[in-house]
Amino acid sequence: MITPVKRINRFFMLVTAPFLGLILCLWLYQPQLQLDMKVTQYLPGTGPLQETAAVKGELTKAQAAAAYTIRTVSASATLYKQTTAVMNAMVSTAKAQSARPQMIYNRRITSKLGTPSGVVNSSRISIELYRMNPGNYKGYAMKIKLKDPSAMTMSLGQGRPGGSETTLQAVKRYGAVAGINAGGFADKGGKRYPLSTTIVEGKYLTGFESSYKDLSFVGLNKAGKLIGGEFYSQYQLDKLDPVFGATFVPVLIKNSVKVPIPDKWKVSPRRAPRTVMGKYKDDQLLIFVADGYNENGSSGATLEEVQNKLYNMGVIDAYNLDGGGSTSLIFNGRVVNKPSDGRLRPVPTNFLFFK
């Protein structure tokens, strides 16, 4: 690559070459004087010496111009380097300042969770596991930041409609780092089918079904954002670009407002193991799992308790997933909660997270 200095030197050589050639010719070509030649008459102040002096003067000017140009280019190069360094520093400062509000917000929501008992961090996902002991029940929370939308998916039991498997089996089959149970289900003919609207890999499993009996859909869209709620037309749901999702009941929080819980879901059962998925305003996910030793209403958490807990932790949207014996939380290959059935229950859908 030709540097600016080399480029100036080349220019200087091209400019001075004719003059140097002329001087060289004058020096080499010295004609002998003939006595019979007519003496050339010159005007005062003119002649070969004066012409040579003029050429030398032009050469001196060209050298001065070249030197000035070299100094100017060097100064410009120095200024460019200094400007680049300043701009890079400004960009770094701007990035740090833009990230500062996010860091402050993350510290604020994390302070309400405590100290994580487990952490997974990669270029695709960040997961922090917390133990929660509000008093009336024992629970767990996973705060999840999806850096890549593909770091989360929803599996179908044994990869087919009607199939079922435990969350741990699904985690191992897909090579996930964490997982929870997803939507509700109905048993028929010895098989276990997902309840109502279910989307897997961007396709409706059995078609769209309008919300009824307080059922709500919850899943992720193409941008990796949590979406959910009651939908009464496929067009209404399709506008959100869902990639996967399942259905259960009810919605707990929507747009930072606690949604009234229907009376029948307050007592059927009153207390139970719970699995809830929500999000913060920065789109981080929060998985909340309440433990319980049975499903008859005497252990676990009420929906109001879970709703209030998530609301106070700053969650802006929250959706109740299947609970009871279905509640499962897998983290780093181990079962974190204590399933009320005494063992993990096979379910048709699971939300999985990948490192």
Side-chain angles (χ1 to χ4, degrees):
M1 178 182 294
I2 300 177
T3 64
V5 175
K6 290 183 178 180
R7 194 174 289 113
I8 293 299
N9 290 338
R10 180 172 293 183
F11 171 77
F12 175 73
M13 290 177 63
L14 292 174
V15 171
T16 58
F19 299 105
L20 293 175
L22 177 60
I23 294 173
L24 183 62
C25 289
L26 292 174
W27 180 70
L28 293 174
Y29 179 65
Q30 299 179 4
Q32 295 182 355
L33 296 176
Q34 300 293 331
L35 295 175
D36 58 348
M37 290 179 62
K38 295 182 178 179
V39 177
T40 303
Q41 298 293 323
Y42 292 96
L43 294 174
T46 64
L49 294 178
Q50 286 77 8
E51 290 178 359
T52 301
V55 170
K56 289 183 178 180
E58 293 299 326
L59 287 175
T60 301
K61 291 180 180 179
Q63 289 176 336
Y68 173 77
T69 302
I70 292 172
R71 289 195 302 272
T72 302
V73 170
S74 298
S76 298
T78 301
L79 180 61
Y80 172 78
K81 291 180 180 179
Q82 294 173 346
T83 304
T84 301
V86 172
M87 291 301 296
N88 289 336
M90 291 176 64
V91 170
S92 299
T93 302
K95 287 182 178 180
Q97 291 176 344
S98 64
R100 183 172 175 79
Q102 292 180 331
M103 294 173 59
I104 294 174
Y105 177 74
N106 188 60
R107 283 200 296 266
R108 189 171 68 190
I109 61 177
T110 301
S111 66
K112 297 179 180 181
L113 293 168
T115 303
S117 59
V119 176
V120 170
N121 190 32
S122 72
S123 60
R124 301 177 67 197
I125 196 170
S126 292
I127 305 178
E128 297 169 357
L129 176 67
Y130 298 88
R131 297 181 184 275
M132 312 295 294
N133 295 294
N136 295 330
Y137 61 91
K138 182 171 68 175
Y140 305 90
M142 280 199 312
K143 184 166 71 69
I144 301 171
K145 181 177 181 179
L146 295 176
K147 304 173 186 178
D148 182 346
S150 67
M152 179 180 176
T153 191
M154 189 183 79
S155 66
L156 197 60
Q158 299 178 12
R160 57 181 174 81
S164 62
E165 60 189 342
T166 67
T167 306
L168 181 59
Q169 288 173 331
V171 165
K172 289 182 177 180
R173 184 163 67 90
Y174 280 86
V177 70
I180 60 169
N181 62 293
F185 59 85
D187 291 333
K188 182 179 180 181
K191 295 184 178 181
R192 189 157 281 181
Y193 295 93
L195 184 65
S196 193
T197 299
T198 304
I199 298 177
V200 181
E201 296 181 352
K203 298 180 180 179
Y204 289 86
L205 188 64
T206 56
F208 174 83
E209 187 171 11
S210 178
S211 294
Y212 66 95
K213 295 183 178 180
D214 306 313
L215 289 174
S216 65
F217 175 88
V218 57
L220 237 64
N221 65 7
K222 292 181 180 179
K225 311 298 183 184
L226 185 70
I227 57 174
E230 297 180 358
F231 298 92
Y232 301 98
S233 71
Q234 182 174 334
Y235 173 75
Q236 184 184 11
L237 178 54
D238 285 347
K239 285 196 303 182
L240 301 180
D241 291 328
V243 175
F244 59 80
T247 297
F248 201 59
V249 60
V251 177
L252 298 179
I253 303 173
K254 192 67 176 176
N255 298 324
S256 299
V257 176
K258 290 189 285 187
V259 179
I261 300 172
D263 290 338
K264 59 183 176 181
W265 302 119
K266 293 180 180 180
V267 295
S268 298
R270 174 170 171 73
R271 290 191 174 276
R274 308 284 185 185
T275 303
V276 179
M277 182 160 63
K279 73 172 183 179
Y280 293 102
K281 68 179 182 180
D282 65 351
D283 288 313
Q284 288 192 84
L285 301 177
L286 184 71
I287 307 299
F288 189 86
V289 170
D291 252 342
Y293 53 81
N294 61 42
E295 297 182 68
N296 62 16
S298 61
S299 72
T302 68
L303 287 176
E304 294 106 318
E305 287 172 340
V306 174
Q307 181 185 56
N308 290 332
K309 183 65 176 176
L310 296 180
Y311 180 81
N312 292 334
M313 288 194 297
V315 173
I316 63 171
D317 291 333
Y319 309 93
N320 187 49
L321 300 173
D322 195 9
S326 298
T327 290
S328 308
L329 174 58
I330 313 300
F331 181 80
N332 267 341
R334 66 184 180 89
V335 182
V336 176
N337 68 310
K338 294 182 179 180
S340 62
D341 288 351
R343 62 182 183 278
L344 292 173
R345 175 184 294 175
V347 294
T349 55
N350 289 286
F351 289 125
L352 305 177
F353 305 91
F354 300 90
K355 187 175 181 180

